[in-house]
Amino acid sequence: MTTAGTGHAEADRGEKGGIRTALAGLTTRGRSFLAAGVAAAVCSYVLGQSDLLRVGLLLAVLPLVCATVLYRTRYRVAGSRRLSPARVPAGSEARVHLRMDNVSRLPTGLLMLQDRVPYVLGPRPRFVLDRMEAGGRREVSYRVRSDLRGRYPLGPLQLRLTDPFGMCELTRSFSTYDTLTVIPRVEPLAPVRLSGEAKGYGDGRQRSLALAGEDDVIPRGYRYGDDLRRVHWRSTARYGELMVRREEQPQRARCTVLLDTRGIAYRGAGPDSAFEWAVSGAASVLVHMLERGYSVRLLTDTGNAVPGEGGDGFAGASQESADAAGLMMDTLAVIDHSDGAGLSRAYDVLRGGNEGLLVAFLGDLDEEQAAVLGRMRRRSPGAVAFVLDSDTWMREPSDVPGPLEGSGERLRMLREAGWTALGVPRDASLDELWRQADRERRGMAAASGGEGP
């Protein structure tokens, strides 16, 4: 039998290797028949019973014949796998569809199909396929589910072929496999108006002019429907065709999501740990901001930015939101703790300014890191921090009197630096904290006599 990928290579083995493969495929029943046949032949020689020798030969030859016929049988079976969907949030199910095609001119026997999956996705699926006629097709499916984010390989497929008497089983493997990406859970967020929006895109109205004066005009060719009052006659005379002034281009709102991945900043592990909550929170904010039309960037404490295309590292207006979201979700699916001890590398990335709204998900902070975050705030017109204190997070919700216990001093330092800082209790809802951050921002604006956007 040959299968897609490795079948042809196995078919070219020598005779000696083929005999070993066939004998290694004998089942317990086949080995028992072979042993019984040999024992009967020995007994017939000792006792001088010729009839017993015939029985022994029959018992010994039957599994050998089955193994030889099974090994010599040449089937061409093609297999394929399809994931639906290939990217699934943690805790949700994905369905894997398997399809087997008999591309040979001979019908197959009974086939046992098995797919290799990591243990975190569930038990290894096994299927029994009936005899497939020449050119026939069989389709089966199974479900996988994981509470842990990550990238999990599925495959390769394995086919086991057996003879009608169950004396021998031979296994053939396909060479290809697919990857299931389990991304963090994403929580829908309310469309609040946090500071840092670029007015002129979305709810605001600030515009970035494409020209500074009459001599700095960058014209473009006339298009049907353009207002003739915008015709730039000097450029029209220069180029010999009708040219118009460019429209004022709206400045695309920006948002940087800072995820603290320092290993020393979190305690505990598993899907309910503080670090997993922070990763899920960062994913939720990224998706929410992309849906609102922001140019979004994911930044970690190591200074790595995603998607990182272009000079500024943001997902620009030329990118599709779905593509940018998929790239960042794939990154968050496999992100892990870093060995860093501080946030200085992230601060170096933000020193350029013009970062837009800054949303940070932070673990345990000391006084030095709180000071670094204070300097970060000066580079952004608006900043929101969700601080996950390990002492508070490791306790049961009923034992925690308030989200500020344990991290109150650090929250106070961040607020004095201009952050809208919130402590995150265990099992907190990000949407509720998101609304609370908006209320606190409005309260700070009212207290300072300013007007929120």
Side-chain angles (χ1 to χ4, degrees):
M1 181 186 70
T2 59
T3 58
T6 61
H8 292 288
E10 294 181 356
D12 293 334
R13 292 181 177 179
E15 186 67 23
K16 187 176 180 180
I19 293 175
R20 290 179 179 178
T21 302
L23 294 178
L26 290 176
T27 62
T28 302
R29 179 184 298 178
R31 296 176 186 273
S32 300
F33 268 67
L34 183 60
V38 173
V42 172
C43 291
S44 69
Y45 176 78
V46 173
L47 299 177
Q49 299 290 332
S50 59
D51 293 337
L52 188 58
L53 178 60
R54 297 188 185 95
V55 174
L57 291 177
L58 176 63
L59 293 177
V61 169
L62 181 60
L64 296 178
V65 171
C66 291
T68 302
V69 173
L70 185 63
Y71 183 80
R72 293 292 185 181
T73 303
R74 313 303 294 172
Y75 296 138
R76 291 181 56 84
V77 180
S80 62
R81 182 189 299 104
R82 179 172 57 87
L83 305 181
S84 178
R87 184 187 292 116
V88 62
S92 301
E93 290 185 345
R95 183 168 290 275
V96 183
H97 302 269
L98 304 177
R99 171 178 163 178
M100 307 303 299
D101 294 277
N102 182 13
V103 296
S104 67
R105 298 180 180 180
L106 298 176
T108 68
L110 189 66
L111 299 177
M112 287 181 287
L113 180 64
Q114 176 177 279
D115 203 9
R116 291 185 179 181
V117 299
Y119 72 94
V120 296
L121 298 182
R124 181 169 295 182
R126 294 181 174 89
F127 305 94
V128 177
L129 303 181
D130 295 334
R131 174 179 178 273
M132 279 196 296
E133 65 281 0
R137 176 190 304 172
R138 297 289 185 273
E139 294 184 2
V140 293
S141 64
Y142 64 92
R143 294 178 294 179
V144 291
R145 179 181 182 274
S146 175
D147 292 326
L148 298 175
R149 55 185 175 82
R151 293 173 62 87
Y152 301 101
L154 301 179
L157 279 171
Q158 290 183 331
L159 278 178
R160 287 193 299 169
L161 182 65
T162 62
D163 64 280
F165 301 101
M167 298 290 179
C168 183
E169 289 183 355
L170 293 181
T171 301
R172 295 291 185 267
S173 296
F174 293 84
S175 60
T176 58
Y177 66 93
D178 294 281
T179 302
L180 175 68
T181 303
V182 180
I183 63 176
R185 295 184 180 91
V186 174
E187 183 177 350
L189 301 179
V192 299
R193 295 179 58 189
L194 296 171
S195 60
E197 296 181 358
K199 306 173 183 179
Y201 200 98
D203 296 331
R205 291 295 179 267
Q206 180 185 358
R207 294 185 179 273
S208 175
L209 297 180
L211 52 96
E214 183 66 19
D215 295 333
D216 298 322
V217 172
I218 304 177
R220 61 170 176 83
Y222 175 82
R223 298 172 186 170
Y224 179 78
D226 285 339
D227 191 347
L228 293 178
R229 290 175 296 181
R230 294 176 42 230
V231 173
H232 190 255
W233 298 109
R234 181 181 300 177
S235 298
T236 299
R238 178 184 303 173
Y239 295 105
E241 60 177 329
L242 203 59
M243 306 292 290
V244 296
R245 294 183 178 89
R246 290 182 181 272
E247 295 178 348
E248 295 177 347
Q249 301 295 326
Q251 183 178 356
R252 190 175 177 87
R254 288 184 171 185
C255 175
T256 298
V257 178
L258 172 62
L259 176 61
D260 182 8
T261 64
R262 296 173 298 140
I264 61 175
Y266 300 92
R267 283 186 290 173
D272 297 327
S273 63
F275 181 66
E276 294 301 321
W277 192 97
V279 173
S280 177
S284 301
V285 173
L286 288 170
V287 173
H288 176 73
M289 290 303 185
L290 283 172
E291 290 176 348
R292 296 192 63 187
Y294 278 67
S295 290
V296 180
R297 175 175 61 179
L298 171 64
L299 180 66
T300 66
D301 58 287
T302 61
N304 296 327
V306 179
E309 295 186 4
D312 54 7
F314 285 85
S318 61
Q319 292 178 305
E320 295 291 340
S321 295
D323 295 339
L327 180 59
M328 287 183 282
M329 291 299 105
D330 289 344
T331 302
L332 290 176
V334 297
I335 201 168
D336 202 354
H337 293 293
S338 68
D339 298 329
L343 303 172
S344 57
R345 292 183 179 178
Y347 170 71
D348 292 338
V349 176
L350 297 174
R351 291 180 66 179
N354 194 24
E355 305 299 330
L357 176 64
L358 177 61
V359 181
F361 292 86
L362 309 167
D364 291 335
L365 300 173
D366 54 23
E367 185 174 351
E368 179 182 356
Q369 304 312 315
V372 173
L373 289 168
R375 294 195 295 271
M376 284 187 189
R377 172 63 181 87
R378 303 170 189 170
R379 304 293 178 179
S380 175
V384 181
F386 300 95
V387 182
L388 293 89
D389 178 69
S390 294
D391 293 335
T392 303
W393 190 268
M394 295 296 291
R395 301 178 185 178
E396 295 294 333
S398 58
D399 298 334
V400 181
L404 299 182
E405 182 179 346
S407 59
E409 179 63 22
R410 303 294 175 255
L411 291 175
R412 183 187 62 80
M413 294 179 61
L414 293 179
R415 288 169 178 169
E416 289 179 353
W419 285 82
T420 302
L422 298 176
V424 180
R426 184 176 178 179
D427 299 329
S429 169
L430 177 61
D431 182 57
E432 295 179 0
L433 294 175
W434 188 252
R435 297 172 185 268
Q436 181 180 349
D438 179 59
R439 291 193 297 268
E440 292 196 7
R441 181 200 62 79
R442 292 179 181 274
M444 293 172 58
S448 62
E451 183 179 357

